C-alpha cells in the first residue's frame, strides 16, 4: 500500500512537470475559438406540422364570437355561472406570457407581470370582483395554451393568441381585441428584405404558433427552428444561430425595443386576429368577456392601455370592431 502511494505521488509530480512549458506558462486546453454557443433548451429543427385542431376543421369566420348578454355588477355574478365559480374561488386564473415585451412580460423593476395582454386580464378580474388584482397568473408557453384550457388549468388564456377555425374546434374565443400581422426580424447588417428571401435559411418561431405554419406555406420555405418562448428566438438571432425571426409585428416590435441592433423588414404577409381563449364548455364566460371588451373599448380603457404599451413601438391604431356570429 505504501509503495502504491509513492508511485501515485510520483506520477502526479511527473504529470505536473509535463504540464508546464519551458516558459513556465500553463497549457490552455480550452479552444475558445472552436466553442459553439449553446442553444436555448427545447429547440426543435423542422418540427412536424400541426393544424392546432383535434378534429376536422369546418369553415368559419374566426373573428366572430358570441354576443354579450349583459354585464352584472362586480361581486354579483349569476348563480350557477362560470363567473360565479370564479368569484367564489376568490381569484381569476389566467394563462399568460412573461417573455413577450409589451404584451406579457415580467417588469424587472417591480417584479410583476405587465403588458397590453395583462391589462385585458385585469379588466376581466375587475369586472368579476371589483378588484383588478384578484388574479393568479399562470405562465405558459405558446404550445401550452390550448391544453391548459382543455384541462381546466386556467379560466382564460390571454397570450397573443390568433383566433383560427382550427383552434375554434378545441376552444372558444372572445371577440378580437387586437389585429397583428406576421413580418420578419433580422440583424441590422442583414441583406434580407422579406419573407421570400428566407428559403433554406434557419428562421425561428415558437412551438404551437401559427407563425410556424405560415412559414411552411411560404413560396421559399425556410428551415423552421421552433422554441418555447419568443425571447429564445431573439437570443438565437443575436448569437447568429438563425438568420431571422418571423412572427406578429407587435411581438417583433417588442424585440426591437429591447435590442436596437435588429430591424423589421418586409410587409405583413398574414393577418393575426388576437382573441382571448376560453374553455369550450364555458359559453357564458365568452359572452361575459365580450361584454368586458365592449366596455373597455367604449370607455376608452382599451385606448389608454394601447397608448401605454404599443403606440410608440407600433403606431396609433383604432380599436377593433367587435364581431359576433349570433
Amino acid at each position: 500500500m505504501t509503495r502504491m502511494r509513492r508511485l501515485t505521488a510520483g506520477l502526479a509530480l511527473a504529470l505536473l512537470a509535463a504540464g508546464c512549458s519551458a516558459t513556465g506558462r500553463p497549457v490552455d486546453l480550452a479552444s475558445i475559438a472552436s466553442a459553439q454557443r449553446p442553444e436555448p433548451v427545447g429547440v426543435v429543427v423542422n418540427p412536424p406540422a400541426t393544424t392546432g385542431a383535434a378534429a376536422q376543421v369546418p369553415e368559419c369566420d374566426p373573428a366572430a364570437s358570441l354576443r354579450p348578454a349583459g354585464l352584472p355588477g362586480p361581486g354579483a355574478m349569476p348563480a350557477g355561472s362560470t363567473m360565479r365559480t370564479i368569484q367564489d374561488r376568490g381569484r381569476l386564473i389566467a394563462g399568460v406570457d412573461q417573455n413577450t415585451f409589451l404584451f406579457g412580460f415580467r417588469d424587472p423593476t417591480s417584479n410583476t407581470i405587465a403588458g397590453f395582454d395583462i391589462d385585458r386580464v385585469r379588466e376581466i378580474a375587475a369586472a368579476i370582483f371589483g378588484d383588478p388584482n384578484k388574479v393568479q397568473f399562470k405562465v405558459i408557453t405558446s404550445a401550452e395554451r390550448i391544453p391548459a384550457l382543455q384541462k381546466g388549468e386556467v379560466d382564460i388564456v390571454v397570450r397573443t393568441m390568433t383566433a383560427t377555425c382550427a383552434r375554434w374546434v378545441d376552444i372558444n374565443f372572445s371577440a378580437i381585441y387586437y389585429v397583428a400581422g406576421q413580418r420578419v426580424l433580422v440583424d441590422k447588417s442583414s441583406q434580407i428584405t422579406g419573407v421570400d428571401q428566407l428559403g433554406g435559411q434557419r428562421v425561428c418561431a415558437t412551438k404551437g404558433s401559427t407563425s410556424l405554419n405560415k412559414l411552411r406555406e411560404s413560396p421559399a420555405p425556410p428551415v423552421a427552428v421552433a422554441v418555447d418562448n419568443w425571447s429564445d428566438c431573439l437570443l438565437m438571432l443575436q448569437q447568429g444561430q438563425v438568420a431571422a425571426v418571423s412572427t406578429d409585428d407587435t411581438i417583433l416590435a417588442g424585440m426591437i425595443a429591447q435590442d436596437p441592433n435588429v430591424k423589421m423588414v418586409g410587409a405583413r404577409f398574414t393577418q393575426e386576429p388576437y382573441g382571448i381563449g376560453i374553455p369550450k364548455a364555458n359559453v357564458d364566460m365568452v359572452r361575459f368577456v365580450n361584454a368586458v371588451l365592449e366596455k373597455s373599448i367604449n370607455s376608452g380603457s382599451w385606448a389608454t392601455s394601447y397608448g401605454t404599451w404599443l403606440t410608440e413601438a407600433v403606431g396609433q391604431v383604432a380599436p377593433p370592431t367587435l364581431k359576433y356570429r349570433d
Side-chain angles (χ1 to χ4, degrees):
M1 181 64 71
T2 301
R3 186 169 179 269
M4 181 62 70
R5 286 175 179 168
R6 289 175 179 169
L7 286 172
T8 303
L11 180 60
L13 288 171
L15 288 173
L16 181 61
C20 298
S21 66
T23 59
R25 292 189 297 179
V27 175
D28 184 3
L29 300 179
S31 178
I32 297 174
S34 64
Q36 293 185 349
R37 294 176 178 176
E39 293 182 341
V41 175
V43 171
V44 178
V45 178
N46 277 331
T50 175
T51 63
Q56 185 176 1
V57 179
E59 291 187 7
C60 78
D61 180 351
S65 186
L66 305 177
R67 192 173 300 278
L71 191 61
M77 298 299 105
S81 67
T82 303
M83 296 77 73
R84 183 57 175 269
T85 299
I86 296 170
Q87 177 186 311
D88 291 345
R89 182 202 298 145
R91 68 192 187 283
L92 173 71
I93 304 175
V96 299
D97 194 2
Q98 68 171 359
N99 293 294
T100 300
F101 190 56
L102 303 179
F103 273 84
F105 69 101
R106 189 167 293 279
D107 187 330
T109 59
S110 64
N111 199 34
T112 59
I113 296 179
F116 186 71
D117 277 351
I118 306 307
D119 286 354
R120 310 284 73 75
V121 174
R122 294 195 184 280
E123 286 178 341
I124 296 168
I128 295 173
F129 301 103
D131 184 347
N133 296 314
K134 286 196 172 182
V135 181
Q136 176 186 336
F137 291 112
K138 183 177 177 63
V139 175
I140 56 177
T141 66
S142 295
E144 292 170 337
R145 293 176 297 191
I146 291 176
L149 289 166
Q150 291 175 319
K151 295 174 183 177
E153 296 173 349
V154 296
D155 301 312
I156 56 174
V157 166
V158 191
R159 196 189 185 285
T160 57
M161 190 175 188
T162 301
T164 67
C165 293
R167 288 173 173 168
W168 267 102
V169 172
D170 294 326
I171 63 171
N172 283 325
F173 281 99
S174 71
I176 302 308
Y177 67 91
Y178 187 81
V179 179
Q182 188 167 348
R183 292 182 66 188
V184 175
L185 187 80
V186 296
D187 187 87
K188 276 191 173 178
S189 64
S190 173
Q191 300 303 306
I192 294 171
T193 59
V195 66
D196 58 333
Q197 295 181 323
L198 297 177
Q201 301 199 62
R202 286 166 58 98
V203 179
C204 189
T206 60
K207 300 170 186 175
S209 67
T210 56
S211 303
L212 279 176
N213 291 334
K214 295 299 182 182
L215 288 173
R216 292 188 184 95
E217 296 168 5
S218 171
V223 176
V225 178
V227 297
D228 291 330
N229 297 294
W230 288 116
S231 55
D232 295 333
C233 278
L234 178 57
L235 177 63
M236 294 190 77
L237 180 63
Q238 291 168 332
Q239 295 187 159
Q241 295 168 328
V242 295
V245 179
S246 184
T247 187
D248 308 343
D249 49 4
T250 44
I251 298 174
L252 298 181
M255 295 183 188
I256 293 173
Q258 295 174 86
D259 185 351
N261 297 308
V262 296
K263 63 182 179 179
M264 215 181 313
V265 297
R268 283 183 172 184
F269 56 95
T270 71
Q271 264 205 337
E272 307 296 334
Y274 291 170
I276 295 171
I278 300 166
K280 198 68 177 175
N282 298 347
V283 173
D284 58 344
M285 186 68 174
V286 178
R287 298 186 188 277
F288 178 82
V289 168
N290 285 340
V292 174
L293 287 175
E294 278 197 354
K295 181 180 178 181
S296 176
I297 290 173
N298 294 336
S299 69
S301 293
W302 186 98
T304 299
S305 174
Y306 183 90
T308 298
W309 300 112
L310 299 176
T311 297
E312 184 177 347
V314 182
Q316 190 61 51
V317 301
T321 299
L322 305 184
K323 189 174 183 181
Y324 306 115
R325 63 178 64 177
D326 61 351

